[in-house]
DNA sequence: CAGATCACCTGCTTGC
DNA sequence: TGCAAGCAGGTGATCT
């Protein structure tokens, strides 16, 4: 599930709830996101790190259930429940988060036009959807948002990055920022499992225009599917070139 | 080396 | 209805 907007939503909510609480004698001083990782930083410089993969949930004051993998209890009686139906997600407590944060590229919300152009040059022989989802190049975008971004920018997902011209690169960059920001405002996309840290579904699915759609959100034409890098890409052959 | 494919695990949907 | 196959928000290992 969670891509950048979902993890960012959880980060913001946990930031407002957890700062100052104690866990195993350590005080929580910050809640951060790096790519799709969520990091809880403690006063002793250690960090509790989560990756929610496809079906992970992090619930503040949640009630443990069938899919609960871990419960973190705080000094004041509150908790954080980690659920994950498919068990792909993980959490670990580490002494220094530097190494775990290192492999990722520039955050998709922060990347500049110059930096995005450089990524497309470096990965010119790779399909554009794969490049957008490559966490080492730019961090945070997954299958849902890459489809929505490329639809908004009117670019077919199977184009090679090297064929994307300057004007299209600018449109892709604008779409990255606009769609991710809008999705954060709507607290992410709840397809099946995703819930925010307060147990609420995200609203952004109602604004999806191509992902998991049968009809194009612009022209009403039939949405086509392709397998790209093992993932299902959705696109409109009329609106995307 | 880079890009494509498989494997991880479980549950829901689809089609015979 | 029953059951097998297909599909799912991610990513690291293994192939070609």
């Amino acid at each position: 599930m969670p891509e950048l907007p979902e993890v960012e939503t959880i980060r913001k909510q946990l930031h407002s709830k957890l700062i100052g609480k104690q866990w195993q004698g350590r005080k929580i001083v910050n809640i951060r996101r790096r790519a799709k990782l969520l990091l809880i930083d403690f006063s002793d410089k250690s960090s509790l790190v989560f990756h929610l993969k496809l079906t992970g949930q992090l619930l503040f004051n949640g009630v443990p259930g069938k899919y609960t993998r871990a419960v973190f209890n705080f000094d004041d009686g509150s908790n954080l429940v980690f659920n994950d139906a498919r068990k792909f997600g993980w959490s670990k407590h580490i002494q220094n988060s530097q190494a775990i944060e290192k492999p990722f590229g520039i955050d998709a919300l922060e990347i500049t036009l110059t930096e995005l152009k450089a990524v497309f040059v470096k990965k010119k022989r790779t399909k554009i959807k794969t490049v957008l989802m490559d966490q080492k190049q730019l961090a945070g975008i997954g299958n849902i948002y890459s489809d929505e971004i490329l639809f908004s920018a009117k670019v077919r997902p199977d184009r090679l990055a090297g064929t994307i011209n300057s004007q299209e690169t600018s449109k892709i960059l604008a779409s990255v920022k606009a769609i991710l920001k809008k999705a954060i405002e709507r607290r992410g996309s709840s397809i099946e499992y995703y819930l925010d840290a307060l147990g609420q579904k995200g609203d952004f699915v109602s604004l999806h225009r191509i992902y998991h759609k049968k009809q194009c959100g612009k022209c009403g034409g039939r949405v086509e599917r392709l397998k790209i890098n093992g993932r299902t890409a959705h696109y409109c052959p009329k609106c995307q070139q």
Side-chain angles (χ1 to χ4, degrees):
Chain A
M1 71 139 168
E3 303 181 31
L4 184 153
E6 289 76 27
V7 181
E8 183 63 17
T9 297
I10 292 169
R11 184 201 67 76
K12 288 201 290 187
Q13 292 173 330
L14 291 184
H15 196 276
S16 74
K17 297 290 185 187
L18 299 186
I19 298 294
K21 293 187 192 301
Q22 297 242 131
W23 177 71
Q24 297 195 349
R26 303 166 174 87
K27 192 172 174 181
I28 295 173
V29 295
N30 202 5
I31 318 282
R32 293 179 297 131
R33 179 184 59 77
R34 175 74 175 111
K36 299 172 192 172
L37 296 178
L38 186 87
L39 299 100
I40 298 177
D41 292 336
F42 298 100
S43 50
D44 67 351
K45 308 298 181 193
S46 68
S47 301
L48 191 53
V49 187
F50 296 87
H51 198 307
L52 302 179
K53 294 292 182 83
L54 278 79
T55 57
Q57 303 173 333
L58 271 182
L59 302 173
F60 177 68
N61 278 345
V63 178
K66 185 178 174 186
Y67 304 125
T68 297
R69 307 299 170 197
V71 180
F72 302 87
N73 294 299
F74 304 114
D75 60 330
D76 63 353
S78 61
N79 74 21
L80 191 59
V81 171
F82 179 27
N83 295 331
D84 187 12
R86 286 176 72 180
K87 299 181 179 174
F88 287 163
W90 50 261
S91 67
K92 58 176 87 172
H93 182 227
I94 56 179
Q95 292 311 307
N96 185 321
S97 67
Q98 272 188 357
I100 211 167
E101 296 184 57
K102 198 173 179 183
F104 299 105
I106 301 157
D107 196 81
L109 281 178
E110 307 292 329
I111 197 166
T112 65
L113 183 58
T114 304
E115 290 164 339
L116 189 62
K117 282 183 175 174
V119 167
F120 290 178
V121 169
K122 184 179 178 190
K123 306 300 269 184
K124 61 187 172 195
R125 293 186 54 236
T126 306
K127 291 176 178 130
I128 185 68
K129 178 180 171 71
T130 305
V131 174
L132 292 180
M133 292 174 64
D134 184 342
Q135 304 302 303
K136 291 182 173 57
Q137 305 307 318
L138 72 163
I141 297 171
N143 205 33
I144 295 177
Y145 295 102
S146 58
D147 277 359
E148 293 294 328
I149 287 162
L150 290 171
F151 175 78
S152 173
K154 302 182 180 175
V155 173
R156 278 178 61 115
D158 56 349
R159 293 261 306 276
L160 297 187
T163 72
I164 307 294
N165 67 33
S166 181
Q167 191 182 357
E168 289 170 327
T169 305
S170 295
K171 277 163 67 180
I172 290 172
L173 181 72
S175 299
V176 165
K177 310 280 175 160
I179 288 172
L180 295 180
K181 283 177 186 167
K182 192 70 183 173
I184 292 168
E185 279 178 30
R186 297 304 194 103
R187 299 180 352 276
S189 300
S190 287
I191 305 289
E192 193 170 0
Y193 291 93
Y194 170 71
L195 296 176
D196 68 19
L198 306 179
Q200 304 292 306
K201 290 187 174 187
D203 283 340
F204 194 68
V205 172
S206 64
L207 297 181
H208 287 183
R209 293 198 291 170
I210 198 78
Y211 179 81
H212 264 210
K213 294 286 189 184
K214 290 207 164 61
Q215 293 184 304
C216 168
K218 207 172 288 172
C219 76
R222 184 191 154 94
V223 171
E224 301 286 332
R225 295 184 177 201
L226 282 173
K227 274 283 183 226
I228 296 178
N229 202 28
R231 314 301 296 281
T232 302
H234 309 74
Y235 74 102
C236 173
K238 289 192 187 119
C239 297
Q240 290 167 267
Q241 295 157 11

PDB file of all heavy atoms in Angstrom, chain A residues 195-213:
ATOM      1  N   LEU A 195      -5.010   2.332   6.100  1.00  0.00           N
ATOM      2  CA  LEU A 195      -5.670   3.254   7.026  1.00  0.00           C
ATOM      3  C   LEU A 195      -4.613   4.218   7.528  1.00  0.00           C
ATOM      4  O   LEU A 195      -3.436   3.854   7.634  1.00  0.00           O
ATOM      5  CB  LEU A 195      -6.264   2.503   8.222  1.00  0.00           C
ATOM      6  CG  LEU A 195      -7.380   1.492   7.954  1.00  0.00           C
ATOM      7  CD1 LEU A 195      -7.755   0.778   9.264  1.00  0.00           C
ATOM      8  CD2 LEU A 195      -8.617   2.180   7.354  1.00  0.00           C
ATOM      9  N   ASP A 196      -5.004   5.441   7.842  1.00  0.00           N
ATOM     10  CA  ASP A 196      -4.037   6.364   8.429  1.00  0.00           C
ATOM     11  C   ASP A 196      -3.820   6.011   9.904  1.00  0.00           C
ATOM     12  O   ASP A 196      -4.384   5.037  10.407  1.00  0.00           O
ATOM     13  CB  ASP A 196      -4.466   7.824   8.206  1.00  0.00           C
ATOM     14  CG  ASP A 196      -5.715   8.213   8.994  1.00  0.00           C
ATOM     15  OD1 ASP A 196      -6.059   7.538   9.967  1.00  0.00           O
ATOM     16  OD2 ASP A 196      -6.343   9.224   8.608  1.00  0.00           O
ATOM     17  N   ALA A 197      -2.992   6.781  10.578  1.00  0.00           N
ATOM     18  CA  ALA A 197      -2.618   6.422  11.948  1.00  0.00           C
ATOM     19  C   ALA A 197      -3.780   6.543  12.926  1.00  0.00           C
ATOM     20  O   ALA A 197      -3.714   6.046  14.052  1.00  0.00           O
ATOM     21  CB  ALA A 197      -1.449   7.291  12.412  1.00  0.00           C
ATOM     22  N   LEU A 198      -4.858   7.212  12.483  1.00  0.00           N
ATOM     23  CA  LEU A 198      -6.031   7.342  13.348  1.00  0.00           C
ATOM     24  C   LEU A 198      -7.116   6.350  12.949  1.00  0.00           C
ATOM     25  O   LEU A 198      -8.252   6.420  13.429  1.00  0.00           O
ATOM     26  CB  LEU A 198      -6.569   8.779  13.278  1.00  0.00           C
ATOM     27  CG  LEU A 198      -5.533   9.865  13.586  1.00  0.00           C
ATOM     28  CD1 LEU A 198      -6.157  11.251  13.477  1.00  0.00           C
ATOM     29  CD2 LEU A 198      -4.916   9.656  14.972  1.00  0.00           C
ATOM     30  N   GLY A 199      -6.765   5.429  12.045  1.00  0.00           N
ATOM     31  CA  GLY A 199      -7.709   4.385  11.654  1.00  0.00           C
ATOM     32  C   GLY A 199      -8.715   4.795  10.592  1.00  0.00           C
ATOM     33  O   GLY A 199      -9.664   4.066  10.316  1.00  0.00           O
ATOM     34  N   GLN A 200      -8.471   5.966   9.963  1.00  0.00           N
ATOM     35  CA  GLN A 200      -9.391   6.461   8.938  1.00  0.00           C
ATOM     36  C   GLN A 200      -8.883   6.106   7.539  1.00  0.00           C
ATOM     37  O   GLN A 200      -7.683   6.075   7.304  1.00  0.00           O
ATOM     38  CB  GLN A 200      -9.504   7.992   9.021  1.00  0.00           C
ATOM     39  CG  GLN A 200      -9.935   8.503  10.374  1.00  0.00           C
ATOM     40  CD  GLN A 200     -11.361   8.145  10.700  1.00  0.00           C
ATOM     41  OE1 GLN A 200     -12.262   8.433   9.927  1.00  0.00           O
ATOM     42  NE2 GLN A 200     -11.552   7.506  11.846  1.00  0.00           N
ATOM     43  N   LYS A 201      -9.815   5.892   6.610  1.00  0.00           N
ATOM     44  CA  LYS A 201      -9.433   5.682   5.218  1.00  0.00           C
ATOM     45  C   LYS A 201      -9.040   7.007   4.577  1.00  0.00           C
ATOM     46  O   LYS A 201      -9.571   8.054   4.936  1.00  0.00           O
ATOM     47  CB  LYS A 201     -10.599   5.077   4.428  1.00  0.00           C
ATOM     48  CG  LYS A 201     -10.897   3.650   4.819  1.00  0.00           C
ATOM     49  CD  LYS A 201     -11.945   3.046   3.906  1.00  0.00           C
ATOM     50  CE  LYS A 201     -12.104   1.563   4.228  1.00  0.00           C
ATOM     51  NZ  LYS A 201     -12.981   0.875   3.284  1.00  0.00           N
ATOM     52  N   GLY A 202      -8.120   6.933   3.608  1.00  0.00           N
ATOM     53  CA  GLY A 202      -7.764   8.117   2.819  1.00  0.00           C
ATOM     54  C   GLY A 202      -8.764   8.314   1.695  1.00  0.00           C
ATOM     55  O   GLY A 202      -9.335   7.354   1.190  1.00  0.00           O
ATOM     56  N   ASP A 203      -8.957   9.576   1.306  1.00  0.00           N
ATOM     57  CA  ASP A 203      -9.980   9.940   0.317  1.00  0.00           C
ATOM     58  C   ASP A 203      -9.507   9.976  -1.126  1.00  0.00           C
ATOM     59  O   ASP A 203     -10.315  10.184  -2.022  1.00  0.00           O
ATOM     60  CB  ASP A 203     -10.460  11.385   0.595  1.00  0.00           C
ATOM     61  CG  ASP A 203     -11.389  11.427   1.767  1.00  0.00           C
ATOM     62  OD1 ASP A 203     -11.940  10.373   2.098  1.00  0.00           O
ATOM     63  OD2 ASP A 203     -11.555  12.521   2.326  1.00  0.00           O
ATOM     64  N   PHE A 204      -8.216   9.849  -1.366  1.00  0.00           N
ATOM     65  CA  PHE A 204      -7.712  10.212  -2.692  1.00  0.00           C
ATOM     66  C   PHE A 204      -8.197   9.288  -3.811  1.00  0.00           C
ATOM     67  O   PHE A 204      -8.185   9.681  -4.982  1.00  0.00           O
ATOM     68  CB  PHE A 204      -6.183  10.296  -2.692  1.00  0.00           C
ATOM     69  CG  PHE A 204      -5.634  10.978  -3.909  1.00  0.00           C
ATOM     70  CD1 PHE A 204      -5.837  12.337  -4.118  1.00  0.00           C
ATOM     71  CD2 PHE A 204      -4.934  10.265  -4.875  1.00  0.00           C
ATOM     72  CE1 PHE A 204      -5.358  12.972  -5.254  1.00  0.00           C
ATOM     73  CE2 PHE A 204      -4.446  10.896  -6.022  1.00  0.00           C
ATOM     74  CZ  PHE A 204      -4.655  12.256  -6.209  1.00  0.00           C
ATOM     75  N   VAL A 205      -8.649   8.086  -3.463  1.00  0.00           N
ATOM     76  CA  VAL A 205      -9.161   7.172  -4.491  1.00  0.00           C
ATOM     77  C   VAL A 205     -10.262   7.837  -5.320  1.00  0.00           C
ATOM     78  O   VAL A 205     -10.376   7.613  -6.527  1.00  0.00           O
ATOM     79  CB  VAL A 205      -9.688   5.868  -3.844  1.00  0.00           C
ATOM     80  CG1 VAL A 205     -10.395   5.001  -4.881  1.00  0.00           C
ATOM     81  CG2 VAL A 205      -8.530   5.085  -3.249  1.00  0.00           C
ATOM     82  N   SER A 206     -11.047   8.678  -4.684  1.00  0.00           N
ATOM     83  CA  SER A 206     -12.148   9.340  -5.409  1.00  0.00           C
ATOM     84  C   SER A 206     -11.620  10.289  -6.487  1.00  0.00           C
ATOM     85  O   SER A 206     -12.365  10.681  -7.382  1.00  0.00           O
ATOM     86  CB  SER A 206     -13.035  10.112  -4.431  1.00  0.00           C
ATOM     87  OG  SER A 206     -12.288  11.153  -3.826  1.00  0.00           O
ATOM     88  N   LEU A 207     -10.347  10.647  -6.393  1.00  0.00           N
ATOM     89  CA  LEU A 207      -9.756  11.540  -7.400  1.00  0.00           C
ATOM     90  C   LEU A 207      -8.862  10.793  -8.385  1.00  0.00           C
ATOM     91  O   LEU A 207      -8.258  11.425  -9.259  1.00  0.00           O
ATOM     92  CB  LEU A 207      -8.963  12.653  -6.702  1.00  0.00           C
ATOM     93  CG  LEU A 207      -9.792  13.587  -5.821  1.00  0.00           C
ATOM     94  CD1 LEU A 207      -8.906  14.667  -5.198  1.00  0.00           C
ATOM     95  CD2 LEU A 207     -10.919  14.236  -6.612  1.00  0.00           C
ATOM     96  N   HIS A 208      -8.758   9.477  -8.248  1.00  0.00           N
ATOM     97  CA  HIS A 208      -7.970   8.721  -9.231  1.00  0.00           C
ATOM     98  C   HIS A 208      -8.616   8.875 -10.602  1.00  0.00           C
ATOM     99  O   HIS A 208      -9.837   8.804 -10.747  1.00  0.00           O
ATOM    100  CB  HIS A 208      -7.930   7.230  -8.871  1.00  0.00           C
ATOM    101  CG  HIS A 208      -7.058   6.923  -7.699  1.00  0.00           C
ATOM    102  ND1 HIS A 208      -6.849   5.641  -7.255  1.00  0.00           N
ATOM    103  CD2 HIS A 208      -6.328   7.719  -6.871  1.00  0.00           C
ATOM    104  CE1 HIS A 208      -6.035   5.651  -6.202  1.00  0.00           C
ATOM    105  NE2 HIS A 208      -5.717   6.906  -5.948  1.00  0.00           N
ATOM    106  N   ARG A 209      -7.768   9.077 -11.612  1.00  0.00           N
ATOM    107  CA  ARG A 209      -8.302   9.250 -12.967  1.00  0.00           C
ATOM    108  C   ARG A 209      -7.913   8.102 -13.905  1.00  0.00           C
ATOM    109  O   ARG A 209      -8.453   7.985 -14.997  1.00  0.00           O
ATOM    110  CB  ARG A 209      -7.822  10.587 -13.544  1.00  0.00           C
ATOM    111  CG  ARG A 209      -8.432  11.755 -12.778  1.00  0.00           C
ATOM    112  CD  ARG A 209      -8.328  13.033 -13.568  1.00  0.00           C
ATOM    113  NE  ARG A 209      -6.947  13.481 -13.666  1.00  0.00           N
ATOM    114  CZ  ARG A 209      -6.554  14.474 -14.463  1.00  0.00           C
ATOM    115  NH1 ARG A 209      -7.423  15.107 -15.227  1.00  0.00           N
ATOM    116  NH2 ARG A 209      -5.291  14.832 -14.493  1.00  0.00           N
ATOM    117  N   ILE A 210      -6.966   7.257 -13.479  1.00  0.00           N
ATOM    118  CA  ILE A 210      -6.535   6.178 -14.361  1.00  0.00           C
ATOM    119  C   ILE A 210      -6.281   4.867 -13.609  1.00  0.00           C
ATOM    120  O   ILE A 210      -6.609   3.798 -14.099  1.00  0.00           O
ATOM    121  CB  ILE A 210      -5.275   6.612 -15.171  1.00  0.00           C
ATOM    122  CG1 ILE A 210      -5.070   5.712 -16.382  1.00  0.00           C
ATOM    123  CG2 ILE A 210      -4.025   6.629 -14.294  1.00  0.00           C
ATOM    124  CD1 ILE A 210      -5.967   6.016 -17.551  1.00  0.00           C
ATOM    125  N   TYR A 211      -5.703   4.956 -12.387  1.00  0.00           N
ATOM    126  CA  TYR A 211      -5.334   3.739 -11.662  1.00  0.00           C
ATOM    127  C   TYR A 211      -6.570   2.910 -11.299  1.00  0.00           C
ATOM    128  O   TYR A 211      -7.512   3.418 -10.669  1.00  0.00           O
ATOM    129  CB  TYR A 211      -4.553   4.084 -10.390  1.00  0.00           C
ATOM    130  CG  TYR A 211      -4.182   2.843  -9.605  1.00  0.00           C
ATOM    131  CD1 TYR A 211      -3.080   2.082  -9.965  1.00  0.00           C
ATOM    132  CD2 TYR A 211      -4.965   2.413  -8.538  1.00  0.00           C
ATOM    133  CE1 TYR A 211      -2.762   0.926  -9.284  1.00  0.00           C
ATOM    134  CE2 TYR A 211      -4.647   1.254  -7.850  1.00  0.00           C
ATOM    135  CZ  TYR A 211      -3.550   0.519  -8.224  1.00  0.00           C
ATOM    136  OH  TYR A 211      -3.245  -0.635  -7.543  1.00  0.00           O
ATOM    137  N   HIS A 212      -6.571   1.650 -11.746  1.00  0.00           N
ATOM    138  CA  HIS A 212      -7.676   0.725 -11.500  1.00  0.00           C
ATOM    139  C   HIS A 212      -8.996   1.192 -12.101  1.00  0.00           C
ATOM    140  O   HIS A 212     -10.065   0.748 -11.680  1.00  0.00           O
ATOM    141  CB  HIS A 212      -7.854   0.467  -9.995  1.00  0.00           C
ATOM    142  CG  HIS A 212      -7.158  -0.782  -9.570  1.00  0.00           C
ATOM    143  ND1 HIS A 212      -7.603  -1.567  -8.531  1.00  0.00           N
ATOM    144  CD2 HIS A 212      -6.054  -1.404 -10.048  1.00  0.00           C
ATOM    145  CE1 HIS A 212      -6.787  -2.600  -8.384  1.00  0.00           C
ATOM    146  NE2 HIS A 212      -5.843  -2.523  -9.289  1.00  0.00           N
ATOM    147  N   LYS A 213      -8.929   2.088 -13.086  1.00  0.00           N
ATOM    148  CA  LYS A 213     -10.145   2.560 -13.742  1.00  0.00           C
ATOM    149  C   LYS A 213     -10.406   1.732 -14.998  1.00  0.00           C
ATOM    150  O   LYS A 213      -9.482   1.209 -15.618  1.00  0.00           O
ATOM    151  CB  LYS A 213      -9.992   4.034 -14.143  1.00  0.00           C
ATOM    152  CG  LYS A 213      -9.866   4.991 -12.965  1.00  0.00           C
ATOM    153  CD  LYS A 213     -11.187   5.148 -12.305  1.00  0.00           C
ATOM    154  CE  LYS A 213     -11.174   6.253 -11.254  1.00  0.00           C
ATOM    155  NZ  LYS A 213     -12.448   6.351 -10.545  1.00  0.00           N
TER     156      LYS A 213
END
